[in-house]
Amino acid sequence: MSFFEHRDGVLHAEDVPLPAIADAVGTPVHVYSAAALRHAADSFTAALSILPRVRVAFAVKCNPNTAVLRLLADRGFGADIVSVGEMRRAIAAGIAPEKIVFSGVGKTDRELEEALAAGVGQFNLELEEEGEVLAALARGRGRTAIAVLRVNPDVDGGTHAKISTGKRENKFGVQIDGAVGVYDRLSRLEGLNLTGVALHIGSQLCDLAPLETAYRRAGALVDALRALGHAITRVDLGGGLGIAYRSEDVVPTLDAYAAMVRQVTEGWGVELIFEPGRVIAGLAGVLVTRVTWVKPSATHPFVIVDAAMNDLARPALYGAYHRFEAVQRSAERMTANIVGPICETGDTFASAREIDRVRRGDLAIFHATGAYGAAMASSYNCRALSPQVMVDGDMFEIVADRMLPAERAA
Ligand code: LLP
Protein backbone atom coordinates (compact mmCIF):
# COMPACT_ATOMS: atom_id res chain seq x y z
CA MET A 1 0.00 0.00 0.00
CA SER A 2 1.53 3.31 -1.04
CA PHE A 3 0.40 6.74 0.03
CA PHE A 4 2.44 8.30 -2.79
CA GLU A 5 0.75 7.53 -6.09
CA HIS A 6 -0.02 9.04 -9.47
CA ARG A 7 -3.49 10.44 -9.98
CA ASP A 8 -4.34 11.74 -13.41
CA GLY A 9 -0.65 11.55 -14.30
CA VAL A 10 0.55 13.62 -11.31
CA LEU A 11 2.22 12.17 -8.25
CA HIS A 12 0.33 12.87 -5.03
CA ALA A 13 1.07 12.48 -1.33
CA GLU A 14 -2.33 11.27 -0.11
CA ASP A 15 -4.70 13.87 -1.63
CA VAL A 16 -2.10 16.58 -2.18
CA PRO A 17 -0.43 16.94 -5.59
CA LEU A 18 3.32 17.19 -5.04
CA PRO A 19 3.71 20.24 -7.34
CA ALA A 20 1.53 22.16 -4.86
CA ILE A 21 4.05 21.45 -2.09
CA ALA A 22 7.04 22.20 -4.31
CA ASP A 23 5.48 25.54 -5.33
CA ALA A 24 4.67 26.51 -1.76
CA VAL A 25 7.82 25.30 0.00
CA GLY A 26 10.47 24.93 -2.69
CA THR A 27 12.71 21.94 -3.35
CA PRO A 28 14.32 19.79 -2.17
CA VAL A 29 11.74 18.97 0.47
CA HIS A 30 11.10 15.89 2.58
CA VAL A 31 7.40 15.01 2.52
CA TYR A 32 5.76 12.67 5.03
CA SER A 33 2.33 11.10 4.93
CA ALA A 34 0.48 11.06 8.23
CA ALA A 35 -1.80 8.29 6.96
CA ALA A 36 1.22 6.17 6.03
CA LEU A 37 2.71 6.66 9.49
CA ARG A 38 -0.57 5.75 11.18
CA HIS A 39 -0.94 2.74 8.91
CA ALA A 40 2.57 1.49 9.69
CA ALA A 41 2.24 2.11 13.42
CA ASP A 42 -1.16 0.45 13.68
CA SER A 43 -0.05 -2.51 11.54
CA PHE A 44 2.91 -3.03 13.85
CA THR A 45 0.73 -2.85 16.96
CA ALA A 46 -1.88 -5.15 15.44
CA ALA A 47 0.69 -7.76 14.39
CA LEU A 48 2.21 -7.81 17.89
CA SER A 49 -1.18 -8.10 19.55
CA ILE A 50 -0.74 -11.90 19.49
CA LEU A 51 1.95 -11.46 22.16
CA PRO A 52 1.02 -11.12 25.82
CA ARG A 53 2.94 -8.10 27.12
CA VAL A 54 4.48 -5.67 24.67
CA ARG A 55 5.89 -2.15 24.65
CA VAL A 56 6.92 -0.35 21.49
CA ALA A 57 9.62 2.31 21.55
CA PHE A 58 10.05 4.06 18.21
CA ALA A 59 13.71 4.41 17.19
CA VAL A 60 13.87 8.21 17.16
CA LYS A 61 17.16 8.19 15.27
CA CYS A 62 15.41 7.25 12.04
CA ASN A 63 13.09 10.25 12.10
CA PRO A 64 13.26 12.70 14.99
CA ASN A 65 10.79 15.17 13.52
CA THR A 66 8.54 16.37 16.33
CA ALA A 67 5.36 16.03 14.26
CA VAL A 68 6.27 12.41 13.51
CA LEU A 69 6.99 11.72 17.17
CA ARG A 70 3.76 13.40 18.25
CA LEU A 71 1.72 11.28 15.87
CA LEU A 72 3.37 8.12 17.20
CA ALA A 73 3.00 9.26 20.82
CA ASP A 74 -0.74 9.58 20.18
CA ARG A 75 -0.75 5.95 19.11
CA GLY A 76 0.84 4.85 22.34
CA PHE A 77 4.43 4.52 21.16
CA GLY A 78 7.34 5.21 23.46
CA ALA A 79 10.79 6.18 22.21
CA ASP A 80 14.15 4.49 21.81
CA ILE A 81 16.78 7.20 22.04
CA VAL A 82 20.56 7.37 21.71
CA SER A 83 21.28 10.89 22.90
CA VAL A 84 19.76 13.48 25.20
CA GLY A 85 19.02 15.51 22.08
CA GLU A 86 16.66 12.75 21.02
CA MET A 87 15.34 12.51 24.57
CA ARG A 88 14.40 16.21 24.59
CA ARG A 89 12.67 15.82 21.23
CA ALA A 90 10.71 12.80 22.44
CA ILE A 91 9.60 14.49 25.65
CA ALA A 92 8.69 17.69 23.80
CA ALA A 93 6.55 15.58 21.48
CA GLY A 94 4.58 14.26 24.43
CA ILE A 95 6.25 10.90 25.02
CA ALA A 96 6.30 10.19 28.76
CA PRO A 97 9.85 9.75 30.12
CA GLU A 98 8.94 6.35 31.58
CA LYS A 99 8.21 5.18 28.03
CA ILE A 100 11.72 6.11 26.91
CA VAL A 101 14.47 3.55 26.41
CA PHE A 102 17.99 4.99 26.42
CA SER A 103 20.16 2.91 24.08
CA GLY A 104 23.52 4.05 22.78
CA VAL A 105 27.02 2.73 22.96
CA GLY A 106 28.68 5.89 24.23
CA LYS A 107 26.34 7.67 26.63
CA THR A 108 28.30 10.33 28.49
CA ASP A 109 28.05 10.90 32.24
CA ARG A 110 26.22 14.14 31.52
CA GLU A 111 23.72 12.35 29.35
CA LEU A 112 23.16 9.68 31.99
CA GLU A 113 22.57 12.39 34.58
CA GLU A 114 20.13 14.31 32.42
CA ALA A 115 18.24 11.14 31.60
CA LEU A 116 18.08 10.16 35.27
CA ALA A 117 16.79 13.59 36.18
CA ALA A 118 14.14 13.34 33.47
CA GLY A 119 13.02 9.93 34.74
CA VAL A 120 13.84 7.83 31.68
CA GLY A 121 12.17 4.42 32.02
CA GLN A 122 14.94 2.10 30.87
CA PHE A 123 18.69 2.32 30.39
CA ASN A 124 20.19 -0.24 28.00
CA LEU A 125 23.66 -0.82 29.39
CA GLU A 126 26.38 -1.41 26.84
CA LEU A 127 29.25 -2.30 29.15
CA GLU A 128 29.83 -3.17 32.80
CA GLU A 129 31.47 0.12 33.68
CA GLU A 130 28.50 2.07 32.36
CA GLY A 131 26.32 0.17 34.82
CA GLU A 132 28.65 1.08 37.69
CA VAL A 133 28.65 4.75 36.74
CA LEU A 134 24.88 4.82 36.28
CA ALA A 135 24.36 3.14 39.67
CA ALA A 136 26.60 5.71 41.37
CA LEU A 137 24.84 8.63 39.66
CA ALA A 138 21.45 7.23 40.63
CA ARG A 139 22.52 6.72 44.25
CA GLY A 140 23.72 10.31 44.33
CA ARG A 141 20.19 11.38 43.44
CA GLY A 142 18.55 8.95 45.84
CA ARG A 143 17.12 7.10 42.88
CA THR A 144 17.16 3.67 41.33
CA ALA A 145 17.74 3.41 37.60
CA ILE A 146 15.85 0.68 35.76
CA ALA A 147 18.20 -1.00 33.33
CA VAL A 148 18.69 -3.97 31.07
CA LEU A 149 22.00 -5.37 29.85
CA ARG A 150 22.54 -5.28 26.10
CA VAL A 151 24.24 -8.39 24.88
CA ASN A 152 26.04 -9.03 21.65
CA PRO A 153 24.71 -12.41 20.50
CA ASP A 154 27.33 -12.90 17.76
CA VAL A 155 24.82 -13.30 14.97
CA ASP A 156 25.31 -11.98 11.45
CA GLY A 157 22.09 -10.22 10.45
CA GLY A 158 23.04 -10.49 6.78
CA THR A 159 22.72 -6.77 6.17
CA HIS A 160 25.15 -4.08 4.98
CA ALA A 161 28.36 -4.20 7.04
CA LYS A 162 27.94 -0.59 8.14
CA ILE A 163 24.59 -1.28 9.79
CA SER A 164 25.29 -4.72 11.22
CA THR A 165 25.51 -4.60 15.01
CA GLY A 166 25.20 -8.12 16.38
CA LYS A 167 28.49 -9.72 15.38
CA ARG A 168 31.17 -10.40 17.96
CA GLU A 169 33.49 -7.83 16.39
CA ASN A 170 30.88 -5.04 16.44
CA LYS A 171 31.10 -2.40 19.16
CA PHE A 172 27.65 -3.07 20.65
CA GLY A 173 26.66 -4.79 23.89
CA VAL A 174 28.63 -7.16 26.11
CA GLN A 175 29.72 -10.50 24.68
CA ILE A 176 26.96 -12.96 25.36
CA ASP A 177 29.47 -15.55 26.66
CA GLY A 178 30.47 -13.34 29.56
CA ALA A 179 27.06 -11.77 30.10
CA VAL A 180 26.05 -13.87 33.12
CA GLY A 181 29.06 -12.68 35.13
CA VAL A 182 28.52 -9.03 34.20
CA TYR A 183 24.81 -9.28 35.01
CA ASP A 184 25.51 -10.96 38.31
CA ARG A 185 27.92 -8.24 39.43
CA LEU A 186 25.77 -5.33 38.26
CA SER A 187 22.65 -6.76 39.85
CA ARG A 188 24.25 -6.36 43.28
CA LEU A 189 24.72 -2.62 42.89
CA GLU A 190 22.57 -0.30 44.86
CA GLY A 191 20.99 2.35 42.64
CA LEU A 192 20.49 -0.06 39.78
CA ASN A 193 17.47 -2.27 39.18
CA LEU A 194 18.56 -4.71 36.50
CA THR A 195 15.43 -6.21 34.98
CA GLY A 196 16.55 -8.15 31.92
CA VAL A 197 18.47 -8.12 28.68
CA ALA A 198 18.43 -6.33 25.32
CA LEU A 199 19.77 -7.04 21.87
CA HIS A 200 19.67 -5.53 18.39
CA ILE A 201 21.59 -7.22 15.60
CA GLY A 202 21.29 -4.69 12.81
CA SER A 203 19.03 -2.77 10.50
CA GLN A 204 17.29 -3.45 7.17
CA LEU A 205 17.14 -7.16 8.02
CA CYS A 206 15.33 -9.02 5.25
CA ASP A 207 15.45 -12.49 6.74
CA LEU A 208 13.91 -13.63 10.03
CA ALA A 209 16.38 -16.49 10.57
CA PRO A 210 19.23 -14.45 12.11
CA LEU A 211 16.75 -12.61 14.34
CA GLU A 212 15.35 -15.92 15.49
CA THR A 213 18.83 -17.25 16.28
CA ALA A 214 19.65 -14.12 18.25
CA TYR A 215 16.35 -14.25 20.17
CA ARG A 216 16.93 -17.92 21.03
CA ARG A 217 20.35 -17.01 22.40
CA ALA A 218 18.71 -14.32 24.52
CA GLY A 219 16.22 -16.94 25.75
CA ALA A 220 19.05 -19.25 26.81
CA LEU A 221 20.65 -16.36 28.66
CA VAL A 222 17.38 -15.60 30.45
CA ASP A 223 17.24 -19.25 31.58
CA ALA A 224 20.83 -19.10 32.82
CA LEU A 225 20.17 -15.86 34.72
CA ARG A 226 17.00 -17.22 36.28
CA ALA A 227 18.85 -20.34 37.35
CA LEU A 228 21.08 -18.03 39.39
CA GLY A 229 18.05 -16.46 41.01
CA HIS A 230 17.73 -13.28 38.96
CA ALA A 231 14.19 -12.02 38.45
CA ILE A 232 14.05 -11.34 34.71
CA THR A 233 10.99 -9.29 33.80
CA ARG A 234 11.94 -7.62 30.51
CA VAL A 235 13.60 -8.53 27.24
CA ASP A 236 14.22 -5.81 24.68
CA LEU A 237 14.27 -7.38 21.21
CA GLY A 238 15.47 -4.23 19.42
CA GLY A 239 14.46 -3.18 15.92
CA GLY A 240 15.84 -3.94 12.51
CA LEU A 241 13.02 -5.13 10.27
CA GLY A 242 13.69 -4.30 6.65
CA ILE A 243 11.42 -2.62 4.11
CA ALA A 244 11.10 -3.03 0.33
CA TYR A 245 13.12 -0.29 -1.35
CA ARG A 246 12.72 -1.94 -4.76
CA SER A 247 9.34 -3.22 -5.85
CA GLU A 248 10.84 -6.71 -6.17
CA ASP A 249 12.39 -6.75 -2.66
CA VAL A 250 11.00 -9.48 -0.45
CA VAL A 251 10.86 -8.65 3.25
CA PRO A 252 9.27 -10.49 6.15
CA THR A 253 5.68 -9.56 6.90
CA LEU A 254 4.89 -8.17 10.32
CA ASP A 255 2.64 -11.17 10.95
CA ALA A 256 5.47 -13.58 10.16
CA TYR A 257 7.75 -11.64 12.48
CA ALA A 258 5.18 -11.65 15.30
CA ALA A 259 4.55 -15.38 14.84
CA MET A 260 8.28 -16.09 15.06
CA VAL A 261 8.57 -13.96 18.20
CA ARG A 262 5.61 -15.71 19.78
CA GLN A 263 7.10 -19.10 19.11
CA VAL A 264 10.56 -18.21 20.39
CA THR A 265 9.43 -16.31 23.48
CA GLU A 266 6.69 -18.73 24.53
CA GLY A 267 6.96 -19.23 28.25
CA TRP A 268 9.50 -16.47 28.86
CA GLY A 269 6.97 -14.66 31.04
CA VAL A 270 8.50 -11.24 30.43
CA GLU A 271 7.45 -7.92 29.00
CA LEU A 272 8.83 -7.64 25.46
CA ILE A 273 10.13 -4.32 24.20
CA PHE A 274 10.45 -3.52 20.50
CA GLU A 275 12.44 -0.68 18.96
CA PRO A 276 11.25 -0.39 15.36
CA GLY A 277 12.38 2.54 13.24
CA ARG A 278 12.55 2.02 9.50
CA VAL A 279 9.52 -0.26 9.35
CA ILE A 280 7.40 2.53 10.84
CA ALA A 281 8.73 5.62 9.05
CA GLY A 282 10.61 4.41 5.98
CA LEU A 283 7.80 4.16 3.47
CA ALA A 284 6.00 7.18 4.95
CA GLY A 285 8.36 9.72 3.40
CA VAL A 286 9.66 10.84 0.02
CA LEU A 287 12.24 13.41 -1.00
CA VAL A 288 10.89 15.79 -3.62
CA THR A 289 13.51 17.27 -5.89
CA ARG A 290 13.71 19.29 -9.10
CA VAL A 291 15.88 18.54 -12.11
CA THR A 292 18.38 21.37 -12.45
CA TRP A 293 20.11 20.16 -15.59
CA VAL A 294 20.27 17.20 -17.89
CA LYS A 295 23.86 16.99 -19.00
CA PRO A 296 25.33 14.77 -21.69
CA SER A 297 28.07 12.42 -20.57
CA ALA A 298 30.47 9.86 -21.96
CA THR A 299 27.97 7.16 -21.06
CA HIS A 300 24.46 7.96 -19.87
CA PRO A 301 23.25 11.53 -19.41
CA PHE A 302 23.58 13.03 -15.95
CA VAL A 303 20.28 14.03 -14.43
CA ILE A 304 21.47 16.68 -11.99
CA VAL A 305 18.84 17.23 -9.31
CA ASP A 306 18.69 19.87 -6.60
CA ALA A 307 18.76 17.27 -3.80
CA ALA A 308 22.15 15.97 -2.80
CA MET A 309 23.92 13.57 -0.49
CA ASN A 310 23.45 16.11 2.29
CA ASP A 311 19.66 15.59 1.99
CA LEU A 312 19.77 11.83 1.54
CA ALA A 313 23.07 10.23 2.50
CA ARG A 314 22.08 6.57 2.17
CA PRO A 315 23.11 6.05 -1.49
CA ALA A 316 26.51 7.69 -0.91
CA LEU A 317 27.09 5.92 2.43
CA TYR A 318 25.76 2.43 1.79
CA GLY A 319 25.18 2.29 -1.94
CA ALA A 320 21.50 2.20 -1.01
CA TYR A 321 18.79 2.07 -3.65
CA HIS A 322 15.95 4.61 -3.58
CA ARG A 323 13.36 4.41 -6.32
CA PHE A 324 13.29 7.58 -8.47
CA GLU A 325 10.01 8.59 -10.03
CA ALA A 326 9.01 11.59 -12.11
CA VAL A 327 6.14 13.61 -10.65
CA GLN A 328 4.55 14.08 -14.08
CA ARG A 329 4.28 10.75 -15.76
CA SER A 330 6.08 10.54 -19.09
CA ALA A 331 5.52 8.08 -21.90
CA GLU A 332 9.23 8.04 -22.69
CA ARG A 333 12.03 6.35 -20.80
CA MET A 334 15.71 7.16 -20.46
CA THR A 335 18.78 5.63 -18.85
CA ALA A 336 20.54 8.12 -16.63
CA ASN A 337 23.05 8.73 -13.89
CA ILE A 338 21.16 10.64 -11.20
CA VAL A 339 23.44 12.94 -9.26
CA GLY A 340 23.33 15.87 -6.87
CA PRO A 341 25.21 19.17 -7.11
CA ILE A 342 27.78 18.45 -4.38
CA CYS A 343 31.43 18.52 -5.36
CA GLU A 344 32.08 14.82 -4.91
CA THR A 345 31.58 11.96 -7.31
CA GLY A 346 30.04 10.11 -4.37
CA ASP A 347 27.08 12.47 -4.61
CA THR A 348 25.39 9.94 -6.84
CA PHE A 349 21.89 8.60 -6.26
CA ALA A 350 21.83 6.11 -9.10
CA SER A 351 24.01 4.96 -11.97
CA ALA A 352 22.71 3.71 -15.30
CA ARG A 353 19.16 3.73 -13.94
CA GLU A 354 16.22 3.41 -16.29
CA ILE A 355 13.69 6.11 -15.43
CA ASP A 356 10.84 8.13 -16.88
CA ARG A 357 12.33 10.76 -19.18
CA VAL A 358 12.86 13.99 -17.24
CA ARG A 359 13.88 17.42 -18.44
CA ARG A 360 15.28 20.55 -16.83
CA GLY A 361 12.72 21.94 -14.38
CA ASP A 362 10.81 18.67 -13.88
CA LEU A 363 9.93 17.43 -10.41
CA ALA A 364 10.75 13.93 -9.23
CA ILE A 365 10.91 12.01 -5.99
CA PHE A 366 13.13 9.53 -4.24
CA HIS A 367 10.93 6.97 -2.52
CA ALA A 368 11.20 5.52 0.98
CA THR A 369 13.14 8.33 2.58
CA GLY A 370 11.03 8.61 5.74
CA ALA A 371 13.64 6.76 7.80
CA TYR A 372 17.28 7.84 7.88
CA GLY A 373 16.55 10.56 5.32
CA ALA A 374 16.22 14.02 6.88
CA ALA A 375 17.53 12.44 10.09
CA MET A 376 20.97 12.08 8.52
CA ALA A 377 21.00 15.39 6.65
CA SER A 378 23.97 17.73 6.91
CA SER A 379 24.76 21.17 5.61
CA TYR A 380 27.84 20.08 3.64
CA ASN A 381 28.77 22.59 0.93
CA CYS A 382 26.92 25.17 3.08
CA ARG A 383 23.68 23.82 1.76
CA ALA A 384 20.46 24.31 3.67
CA LEU A 385 18.87 21.59 5.74
CA SER A 386 15.82 20.90 3.60
CA PRO A 387 12.36 21.61 4.96
CA GLN A 388 9.99 18.83 6.00
CA VAL A 389 6.30 18.75 5.28
CA MET A 390 3.57 16.57 6.78
CA VAL A 391 0.61 15.73 4.57
CA ASP A 392 -2.66 14.63 6.14
CA GLY A 393 -5.50 14.00 3.70
CA ASP A 394 -5.78 17.10 1.53
CA MET A 395 -3.85 19.33 3.96
CA PHE A 396 -0.14 19.88 4.35
CA GLU A 397 1.95 21.68 6.90
CA ILE A 398 5.63 22.62 7.18
CA VAL A 399 6.96 20.65 10.15
CA ALA A 400 10.60 21.72 9.79
CA ASP A 401 11.78 24.92 8.14
CA ARG A 402 14.50 25.15 5.56
CA MET A 403 17.59 26.09 7.56
CA LEU A 404 20.70 27.60 6.09
CA PRO A 405 24.02 27.12 7.88
CA ALA A 406 24.44 30.88 7.52
CA GLU A 407 21.59 31.26 10.00
CA ARG A 408 23.66 29.58 12.69
CA ALA A 409 26.44 31.58 14.30
CA ALA A 410 29.59 29.65 13.45
N1 LLP B 1 17.47 -0.14 18.22
C1 LLP B 1 18.79 0.08 18.18
C2 LLP B 1 19.59 -0.19 19.37
C3 LLP B 1 19.37 0.55 17.00
O1 LLP B 1 20.68 0.76 16.96
C4 LLP B 1 18.57 0.80 15.86
C5 LLP B 1 19.15 1.32 14.62
C6 LLP B 1 17.18 0.57 15.97
C7 LLP B 1 16.67 0.09 17.16
C8 LLP B 1 16.24 0.81 14.83
O2 LLP B 1 16.53 -0.02 13.76
P1 LLP B 1 15.52 -0.09 12.51
O3 LLP B 1 14.24 -0.71 13.00
O4 LLP B 1 15.32 1.29 12.01
O5 LLP B 1 16.26 -0.94 11.56
N2 LLP B 1 21.47 4.83 8.94
C9 LLP B 1 21.25 3.45 8.57
C10 LLP B 1 20.53 2.66 9.66
C11 LLP B 1 21.22 2.71 11.00
C12 LLP B 1 20.49 1.94 12.06
C13 LLP B 1 21.06 2.22 13.40
N3 LLP B 1 20.40 1.59 14.49
C14 LLP B 1 20.50 3.41 7.25
O6 LLP B 1 20.21 4.46 6.69
O7 LLP B 1 20.24 2.32 6.73
Side-chain angles (χ1 to χ4, degrees):
M1 184 178 210
S2 174
F3 295 84
F4 301 94
E5 280 178 344
H6 278 96
R7 287 191 198 167
D8 302 324
V10 179
L11 205 51
H12 282 59
E14 301 187 34
D15 300 332
V16 178
L18 289 176
I21 297 177
D23 287 348
V25 185
T27 55
V29 51
H30 289 276
V31 176
Y32 308 128
S33 153
L37 284 165
R38 287 189 205 106
H39 174 74
D42 294 349
S43 304
F44 196 82
T45 305
L48 296 192
S49 66
I50 63 165
L51 300 165
R53 271 187 300 143
V54 165
R55 270 197 299 139
V56 182
F58 175 64
V60 173
K61 64 171 77 74
C62 86
N63 192 325
N65 184 282
T66 309
V68 170
L69 299 182
R70 207 176 291 128
L71 183 151
L72 296 173
D74 285 347
R75 305 193 102 65
F77 278 35
D80 164 52
I81 58 153
V82 290
S83 70
V84 292
E86 289 188 351
M87 180 184 83
R88 292 179 199 159
R89 282 281 180 99
I91 293 174
I95 296 176
E98 56 272 20
K99 285 183 158 183
I100 295 181
V101 171
F102 197 173
S103 302
V105 73
K107 309 177 202 76
T108 65
D109 291 20
R110 269 170 82 161
E111 287 185 305
L112 291 172
E113 282 198 80
E114 189 174 330
L116 273 172
V120 154
Q122 176 179 307
F123 290 85
N124 288 13
L125 301 175
E126 288 271 351
L127 70 164
E128 183 164 357
E129 203 177 352
E130 183 190 8
E132 293 162 3
V133 169
L134 179 64
L137 292 172
R139 282 197 302 275
R141 297 184 158 267
R143 290 205 181 208
T144 300
I146 300 172
V148 298
L149 182 65
R150 178 168 178 183
V151 295
N152 182 323
D154 194 22
V155 173
D156 185 347
T159 186
H160 192 283
K162 289 188 185 169
I163 54 175
S164 172
T165 54
K167 288 194 277 180
R168 177 180 284 280
E169 61 270 27
N170 297 142
K171 67 182 171 183
F172 303 94
V174 301
Q175 297 302 324
I176 198 159
D177 308 340
V180 168
V182 175
Y183 199 100
D184 216 29
R185 290 189 290 278
L186 288 179
S187 68
R188 293 170 213 271
L189 298 181
E190 210 183 304
L192 204 59
N193 178 10
L194 213 48
T195 57
V197 296
L199 75 170
H200 169 81
I201 63 167
S203 195
Q204 185 54 16
L205 305 174
C206 294
D207 182 5
L208 291 180
L211 276 172
E212 180 171 346
T213 305
Y215 293 173
R216 288 197 188 282
R217 289 187 186 165
L221 177 61
V222 167
D223 288 344
L225 291 169
R226 282 186 170 150
L228 291 172
H230 295 293
I232 305 295
T233 56
R234 298 185 186 192
V235 177
D236 182 336
L237 296 177
L241 285 181
I243 59 170
Y245 283 99
R246 295 172 161 87
S247 25
E248 66 268 26
D249 284 349
V250 179
V251 293
T253 64
L254 295 175
D255 286 338
Y257 175 67
M260 179 276 279
V261 173
R262 179 163 71 173
Q263 203 187 20
V264 173
T265 63
E266 184 94 66
W268 284 12
V270 296
E271 181 175 50
L272 295 174
I273 291 118
F274 295 87
E275 303 171 351
R278 190 188 317 261
V279 80
I280 303 297
L283 299 175
V286 299
L287 173 61
V288 182
T289 186
R290 200 179 281 284
V291 177
T292 310
W293 306 104
V294 178
K295 174 177 170 171
S297 91
T299 56
H300 306 291
F302 289 111
V303 168
I304 306 175
V305 295
D306 64 359
M309 62 192 281
N310 74 302
D311 299 298
L312 177 63
R314 304 192 69 258
L317 268 181
Y318 321 116
Y321 181 100
H322 285 267
R323 200 149 64 81
F324 180 85
E325 196 171 21
V327 166
Q328 306 276 351
R329 221 175 225 147
S330 153
E332 294 167 77
R333 306 283 287 168
M334 70 191 289
T335 301
N337 299 321
I338 307 167
V339 299
I342 280 181
C343 304
E344 292 197 20
T345 298
D347 187 22
T348 294
F349 292 110
S351 300
R353 178 90 62 90
E354 199 197 311
I355 57 173
D356 266 3
R357 173 166 300 284
V358 287
R359 298 189 165 78
R360 168 168 161 77
D362 284 354
L363 289 170
I365 64 169
F366 291 102
H367 278 275
T369 58
Y372 308 108
M376 294 172 71
S378 77
S379 51
Y380 184 38
N381 276 205
C382 274
R383 286 170 53 85
L385 291 177
S386 292
Q388 297 166 51
V389 162
M390 180 73 79
V391 170
D392 196 354
D394 59 1
M395 314 276 280
F396 70 90
E397 182 190 3
I398 297 175
V399 292
D401 289 320
R402 186 178 304 282
M403 201 175 93
L404 278 163
E407 288 159 4
R408 171 181 170 207

